[in-house]
């Protein structure tokens, strides 16, 4: 049983305990998800029975997402095998962790790949860095971007599930004023696991435009310096919302 002095996230494992004592964290310490957990509990449409496959898949996805965004060293990843792991969005060619780092820098950028012509992109992920994209979305969603698993169609070793992501646009985005409105999108995903129950392949299928379109509804702000925003230092508060 956890000590009263140890903070434990009930939806994400691999944040605390002896197994994480040497983990290198992006912001120096494990992220705190209390705020987004509250958003999740207030807005979820599905409550999985304790111990059910749905609950296990939902917690796996949340833990995978936490590791991808907050653990610095891929050797600290425990939900996936960094040597075998590949990622694909909307049927694109699978790419390894090394390729993700070289081509996109990581963070949100691989999740927002687009085939839209450059002049039609409301948000161009290829012009962003890992840090600028993280800052953009955590500023826009100060309470975080909640995730729920709606359906699970198959369990390990090939997990197929339907999900919903949502948050409230309570901060500016790319020069657009906050609207306070809910922004959400739905999608499907396939997680393949090896014999050690490590994720070795992730495929997502969704329309990034559903997210970006909802963030461009606000009025254009009079002053917005994109380059200054990209260069801005990371806010210590934002590290706990992503």
């Amino acid at each position: 049983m956890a000590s009263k002095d140890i903070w434990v996230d009930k939806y994400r494992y691999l944040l605390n305990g002896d197994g994480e004592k040497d983990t290198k964290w992006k912001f120096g310490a494990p992220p705190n998800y209390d705020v987004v957990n509250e958003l999740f509990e207030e807005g979820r449409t599905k409550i999985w029975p304790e111990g059910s496959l749905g609950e296990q898949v939902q917690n796996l996805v949340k833990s995978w997402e936490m590791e991808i965004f907050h653990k610095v060293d891929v050797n600290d990843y425990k939900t996936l095998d960094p040597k075998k792991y590949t990622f694909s969005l909307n049927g694109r060619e699978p790419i390894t962790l090394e390729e993700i780092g070289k081509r996109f820098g990581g963070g949100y950028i691989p999740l927002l790949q687009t085939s839209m012509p450059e002049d039609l992109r409301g948000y161009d992920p290829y012009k962003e860095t890992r840090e600028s994209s993280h800052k953009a979305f955590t500023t826009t969603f100060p309470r975080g971007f909640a995730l729920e698993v709606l359906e699970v169609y198959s369990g390990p070793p090939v997990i197929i599930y339907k999900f919903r992501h949502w948050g409230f646009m309570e901060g500016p985005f790319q020069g657009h004023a906050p609207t306070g409105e809910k922004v959400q999108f739905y999608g499907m995903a396939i997680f393949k696991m090896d014999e050690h129950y490590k994720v070795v392949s992730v495929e997502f299928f969704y329309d990034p435009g559903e997210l970006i379109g909802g963030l461009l509804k606000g009025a254009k702000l009079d002053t917005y310096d994109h380059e200054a925003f990209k260069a801005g230092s990371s806010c210590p508060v934002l590290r706990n919302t992503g």
Side-chain angles (χ1 to χ4, degrees):
M1 182 176 293
S3 164
K4 291 182 180 179
D5 296 327
I6 297 177
W7 169 80
V8 176
D9 189 291
K10 57 186 174 182
Y11 303 114
R12 298 166 186 83
Y13 47 93
L14 307 175
L15 272 169
N16 307 96
D18 291 342
E20 302 303 322
K21 63 182 180 181
D22 296 321
T23 296
K24 300 177 183 67
W25 298 99
K26 182 178 179 183
F27 294 102
N32 184 309
Y33 286 93
D34 286 350
V35 174
V36 75
N37 285 347
E38 183 177 352
L39 176 67
F40 165 70
E41 291 171 355
E42 290 174 351
R44 61 184 168 182
T45 61
K46 182 110 178 184
I47 299 179
W48 292 100
E50 185 175 354
S52 67
L53 176 61
E55 182 191 57
Q56 293 178 51
V57 170
Q58 185 166 261
N59 290 353
L60 167 65
V61 176
K62 289 175 184 284
S63 297
W64 164 83
E65 190 175 57
M66 174 276 296
E67 290 198 306
I68 290 292
F69 285 107
H70 289 281
K71 290 186 174 181
V72 175
D73 189 342
V74 297
N75 294 307
D76 289 330
Y77 292 174
K78 298 179 179 67
T79 58
L80 61 87
D81 184 329
K83 295 180 180 179
K84 302 177 184 176
Y85 178 85
T86 62
F87 173 86
S88 173
L89 177 65
N90 293 332
R92 288 177 173 83
E93 181 180 353
I95 52 178
T96 65
L97 282 173
E98 183 178 5
E99 290 171 324
I100 289 173
K102 288 181 178 179
R103 292 171 57 181
F104 305 117
Y108 295 98
I109 299 173
L111 296 163
L112 296 170
Q113 296 174 72
T114 178
S115 300
M116 289 283 288
E118 186 173 345
D119 60 338
L120 297 179
R121 297 172 190 169
Y123 174 80
D124 193 340
Y126 307 119
K127 293 182 178 179
E128 302 297 327
T129 65
R130 178 188 180 113
E131 290 72 23
S132 69
S133 64
H134 181 83
K135 184 175 181 181
F137 287 102
T138 52
T139 298
T140 301
F141 297 117
R143 287 190 285 160
F145 203 47
L147 165 77
E148 69 171 338
V149 168
L150 299 170
E151 299 288 345
V152 178
Y153 302 104
S154 67
V158 181
I159 302 171
I160 302 174
Y161 67 93
K162 178 182 178 181
F163 67 90
R164 178 175 75 108
H165 252 308
W166 78 97
F168 289 85
M169 189 192 180
E170 296 165 327
F173 180 79
Q174 298 285 290
H176 289 266
T179 63
E181 295 180 359
K182 180 193 295 182
V183 178
Q184 65 181 353
F185 69 88
Y186 294 81
M188 299 282 294
I190 303 172
F191 276 41
K192 294 181 181 178
M193 309 184 84
D194 65 12
E195 66 274 17
H196 304 295
Y197 287 92
K198 300 285 189 180
V199 177
V200 294
S201 170
V202 167
E203 296 180 72
F204 276 105
F205 298 89
Y206 59 85
D207 179 6
E210 284 193 75
L211 167 62
I212 302 303
L215 300 177
L216 302 178
K217 293 180 178 179
K220 290 286 288 184
L221 299 172
D222 290 336
T223 58
Y224 176 72
D225 188 333
H226 181 261
E227 292 304 318
F229 185 89
K230 286 178 64 175
S233 61
S234 298
C235 170
V237 176
L238 297 182
R239 73 182 186 191
N240 295 327
T241 62

